[in-house]
């Protein structure tokens, strides 16, 4: 099965996560993979945040000029390279890239909104969002394509994490039942 044969593509996953994140978690879906990435994304982001404090300082107050797409693209590439530097490819790292890319879009939009209030021309928000979605999708599908194929594409992610989420939810329900009985 090729990447384009899958009913759930990298682009659809990245786009859904961006929509969900940038719309304050208000988008609704019944796609298990979308829900899984939404649940795991913030966990991966928090874990990476703790492991890479120097990178987070740069991300919190970027020294990058966020007024041009080339500068934003370069910064995005630095994020991607940093995430995959020295640790190999894992689903958690891929989901971390998706999450951090959405944060980059969010922070860039905030930065440009401040510039607009100061009367400075800026890039259109839709251009920024669609560009970062493109770069994220391209990085995953191109730079990590061989690994994705070895994992049966996104079906491998669903297989790896779906059982963990179901077990965690079952344990939570079991504890709730025991709490009401006890």
């Amino acid at each position: 099965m090729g990447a384009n044969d899958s009913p759930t593509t990298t682009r659809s996953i990245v786009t859904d996560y961006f929509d969900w994140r940038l719309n304050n978690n208000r988008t609704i879906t019944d796609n298990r993979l979308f829900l899984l990435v939404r649940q795991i994304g913030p966990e991966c982001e928090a874990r990476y945040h703790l492991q890479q404090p120097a990178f987070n300082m740069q991300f919190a107050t970027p020294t990058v000029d966020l007024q041009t797409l080339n500068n934003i693209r370069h910064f995005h590439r630095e994020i991607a390279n940093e995430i995959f530097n020295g640790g190999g490819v894992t689903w958690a790292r891929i989901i971390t890239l998706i999450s951090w890319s959405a944060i980059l879009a969010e922070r860039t939009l905030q930065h440009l909104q401040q510039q607009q209030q100061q009367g400075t021309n800026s890039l259109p928000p839709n251009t920024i969002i669609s560009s970062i979605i493109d770069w994220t999708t391209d990085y995953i599908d191109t730079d990590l394509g061989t690994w994705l194929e070895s994992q049966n594409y996104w079906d491998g992610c669903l297989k790896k994490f779906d059982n963990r989420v179901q077990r965690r939810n079952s344990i939570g329900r079991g504890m709730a039942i025991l709490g009401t009985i006890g």
Side-chain angles (χ1 to χ4, degrees):
M1 172 195 275
N4 294 331
D5 299 335
S6 175
T8 305
T9 63
T10 301
R11 180 169 305 286
S12 67
I13 293 163
V14 172
T15 300
D16 175 77
Y17 191 83
F18 272 57
D19 288 345
W20 177 75
R21 173 105 190 188
L22 298 176
N23 290 309
N24 297 315
N25 309 333
R26 288 189 219 156
T27 58
I28 299 171
T29 185
D30 60 356
N31 182 305
R32 285 184 15 233
L33 189 53
F34 290 176
L35 293 170
L36 185 70
V37 172
R38 290 175 182 188
Q39 181 178 6
I40 296 170
E43 294 172 14
C44 292
E45 175 189 320
R47 191 173 319 123
Y48 189 79
H49 183 75
L50 293 172
Q51 293 173 359
Q52 302 294 334
F55 176 69
N56 293 317
M57 296 258 316
Q58 179 186 11
F59 196 71
T61 56
T63 56
V64 174
D65 174 9
L66 297 175
Q67 293 183 349
T68 70
L69 282 178
N70 282 337
N71 289 345
I72 299 167
R73 182 181 192 138
H74 177 75
F75 191 55
H76 178 270
R77 188 70 167 175
E78 285 180 16
I79 291 169
N81 291 337
E82 178 70 27
I83 289 170
F84 293 98
N85 185 23
V89 181
T90 65
W91 285 116
R93 286 175 186 249
I94 291 172
I95 294 170
T96 300
L97 174 61
I98 294 169
S99 179
W100 279 97
S101 296
I103 292 170
L104 175 60
E106 185 177 66
R107 300 266 171 90
T108 302
L109 292 173
Q110 290 169 355
H111 175 76
L112 294 178
Q113 185 177 29
Q114 290 172 352
Q115 287 184 332
Q116 270 185 329
Q117 290 172 351
Q118 297 169 356
T120 307
N121 290 338
S122 62
L123 298 166
N126 289 339
T127 300
I128 293 166
I129 294 168
S130 64
S131 295
I132 297 174
I133 287 172
D134 289 345
W135 304 330
T136 305
T137 300
D138 291 346
Y139 188 92
I140 293 168
D141 285 345
T142 304
D143 293 44
L144 310 176
T146 302
W147 187 87
L148 278 175
E149 185 177 1
S150 75
Q151 300 297 309
N152 196 23
Y153 298 94
W154 287 97
D155 290 338
C157 180
L158 193 58
K159 182 178 178 183
K160 177 172 178 69
F161 286 110
D162 202 26
N163 291 335
R164 290 181 187 179
V165 171
Q166 287 175 0
R167 267 196 314 263
R168 191 179 326 159
N169 291 341
S170 296
I171 292 169
R173 282 192 298 272
M175 297 304 284
I177 291 169
L178 289 175
T180 58
I181 295 172

